[in-house]
Amino acid sequence: MSNETSRERVLSGIQPTHLSFHLGNYLGAIKQWVDLQSSHDAFYCVVDLHALTIGAKPEELRRRTLASVAQLIALGLDPEKCTLFIQSHVPAHNQLGWVLECLTGFGEASRMTQFKDKSQKAGSDRTVVGLFTYPILQAADILLYQAHKVPVGEDQRQHIELTRDLGQRFNAKFGETFTIPEGYILKAAAKINDLQDPTAKMSKSSSSGAGVIEIMDSPEINIKKIKSAVTDTGREVLFDEQAKPGVSNLLSIYSALTAKTITAAQEDFIGKGYGDFKMTVAEVVVEYLRPVREKANELLEDEAHLSKLLKIGAEKADAVASKTLRDTYDAMGLISRG
Ligand code: AMP
Ligand code: TRP
């Protein structure tokens, strides 16, 4: 058996919601994607169709999608090692999405907590139906590739459960068609918190931005944000998430980017004050991100090259997805065009 077919397959997706990913996205998700591409047959997509539920302006969506792809490559995804593509380039996602919608109970979809939260906040008249069917499109993303594992954050657990239920339901009704994926829930250890509110997760939607380290921001901005990070009472640099959430968060960032254990990270700051500590963390972050930002900008300057990479990714993805879709249609009794 060739290496390609003997390796387990992983699939994951990320929404192009902003022009820049933040450090939480990287340490909580993308870094694991990079690691998995060496050991697995990895498929990663920028889910632009899912992002339509946000209602961004066309030019914004376009720029965010390309910026997302450029950053994923700059952060270490290698189009030669993994299949990196844009969701809307593979029409089978929508096609399987419809099939799965016809197998999903209305009540079942209504119980998705992310939908409930978002629709409650917006009110039912301003909630689009696409937000309701969002998890079903996500199930299609996964089942199309016969993925064994889906590396995602804890917040996606319920969507993975739905995917498994839909896959099992289809297989029981129409015959074995889909691989039933396992969630690969990324460790909470990599959860990065807001620098200004270190008890809340780093996130652009829930904060002013002053506590969010953006991959594409200049070193000056990021140094300033880290220097102004909230610290805690006392003077010692110790990891204690209860008593010292601010210091602990900075230690987590430092340890993740230097690949040191938390203990080793703490030892680097014995006898040092918070000022020195923050300056060192800032330098580590800025030096880590500098080549990433440069590489992403370089990729964005050559759109033709980026398009070429995306075309190769889309073709590889399409080959797998079209086959699954055809098998699905056959199993259900949809007649082949011949
Ligand atoms: P979002 O843009 O919030 O949907 O996040 C995209 C991905 O990044 C998801 O897999 C999240 O689990 C992960 N992520 C987002 N924020 C953080 C954070 N502060 N710490 C760790 N992972 C995060
Ligand atoms: N819903 C996921 C998130 O917000 C993004 C996503 C869409 C996804 N399709 C996927 C994740 C398929 C994993 C697999 O993070």
Side-chain angles (χ1 to χ4, degrees):
M1 234 192 321
S2 82
N3 210 22
E4 256 336 281
T5 51
S6 58
R7 287 188 301 172
E8 270 200 330
R9 185 167 288 163
V10 298
L11 175 130
S12 198
I14 194 156
Q15 288 199 68
T17 48
H18 297 90
L19 281 176
S20 179
F21 290 127
H22 59 70
L23 209 51
N25 298 137
Y26 174 57
L27 294 175
I30 300 165
K31 192 161 180 284
Q32 282 68 22
W33 294 14
V34 175
D35 293 341
L36 285 166
Q37 70 181 344
S38 311
S39 50
H40 287 69
D41 181 17
F43 283 70
Y44 298 123
C45 58
V46 173
V47 291
D48 56 346
L49 295 169
H50 278 110
L52 292 179
T53 57
I54 306 172
K57 294 196 183 79
E59 190 48 30
E60 272 171 9
L61 179 60
R62 213 187 107 69
R63 288 176 57 222
R64 290 171 181 178
T65 302
L66 291 173
S68 299
V69 173
Q71 285 167 86
L72 290 174
I73 297 174
L75 286 165
L77 288 189
D78 179 349
E80 305 240 322
K81 286 194 188 160
C82 67
T83 302
L84 176 62
F85 65 103
I86 293 181
Q87 184 190 31
S88 66
H89 288 179
V90 182
H93 290 247
N94 305 70
Q95 294 167 301
L96 185 64
W98 172 254
V99 167
L100 298 177
E101 280 175 35
C102 294
L103 293 178
T104 311
F106 193 83
E108 190 177 28
S110 310
R111 285 192 290 275
M112 295 291 114
T113 54
Q114 219 166 53
F115 169 74
K116 285 200 284 187
D117 289 350
K118 289 189 181 171
S119 59
Q120 253 160 31
K121 273 183 204 147
S124 73
D125 281 342
R126 279 190 294 134
T127 299
V128 295
V129 174
L131 202 61
F132 184 64
T133 56
Y134 178 114
I136 308 173
L137 180 60
Q138 180 168 350
D141 297 342
I142 298 166
L143 295 174
L144 270 180
Y145 296 91
Q146 310 287 355
H148 300 99
K149 282 190 194 142
V150 187
V152 283
E154 177 61 40
D155 60 337
Q156 296 299 310
R157 193 184 283 279
Q158 201 187 23
H159 292 171
I160 307 302
E161 271 312 307
L162 177 72
T163 304
R164 290 170 53 83
D165 288 347
L166 292 175
Q168 278 159 350
R169 193 172 305 160
F170 188 99
N171 287 350
K173 222 168 160 181
F174 301 106
E176 284 300 314
T177 307
F178 298 119
T179 302
I180 306 305
E182 307 251 329
Y184 179 80
I185 308 289
L186 303 167
K187 303 266 177 303
K191 197 176 136 228
I192 302 302
N193 289 334
D194 189 282
L195 301 183
Q196 290 298 320
D197 176 7
T199 55
K201 86 168 197 178
M202 186 177 282
S203 157
K204 290 207 229 195
S205 51
S206 61
S207 83
S208 66
V212 178
I213 299 291
E214 307 213 15
I215 310 279
M216 297 301 278
D217 267 348
S218 70
E220 293 71 30
I221 294 181
N222 283 335
I223 288 173
K224 200 166 156 211
K225 284 182 180 172
I226 295 170
K227 277 176 144 177
S228 340
V230 167
T231 44
D232 314 284
T233 51
R235 317 165 144 246
E236 276 171 310
V237 178
L238 289 176
F239 191 86
D240 178 343
E241 283 179 303
Q242 298 303 319
K244 291 180 173 254
V247 169
S248 302
N249 189 37
L250 291 173
L251 274 172
S252 295
I253 293 172
Y254 178 84
S255 106
L257 294 182
T258 55
K260 292 185 182 183
T261 62
I262 291 285
T263 314
Q266 276 183 151
E267 280 167 11
D268 287 353
F269 301 105
I270 292 172
K272 299 217 173 113
Y274 287 161
D276 280 353
F277 168 53
K278 287 203 265 187
M279 204 51 229
T280 307
V281 175
E283 273 163 23
V284 164
V285 169
V286 161
E287 290 317 315
Y288 194 94
L289 294 183
R290 189 188 302 278
V292 173
R293 186 168 56 107
E294 283 170 7
K295 169 92 190 187
N297 280 329
E298 203 180 288
L299 285 161
L300 285 169
E301 272 163 30
D302 190 353
E303 243 185 69
H305 175 63
L306 211 51
S307 296
K308 214 168 90 196
L309 293 177
L310 286 168
K311 186 159 182 245
I312 297 171
E315 279 165 4
K316 282 201 280 177
D318 196 46
V320 178
S322 302
K323 158 126 192 14
T324 305
L325 183 70
R326 189 61 258 159
D327 291 347
T328 309
Y329 279 6
D330 285 346
M332 299 184 93
L334 296 170
I335 289 176
S336 161
R337 192 177 61 180

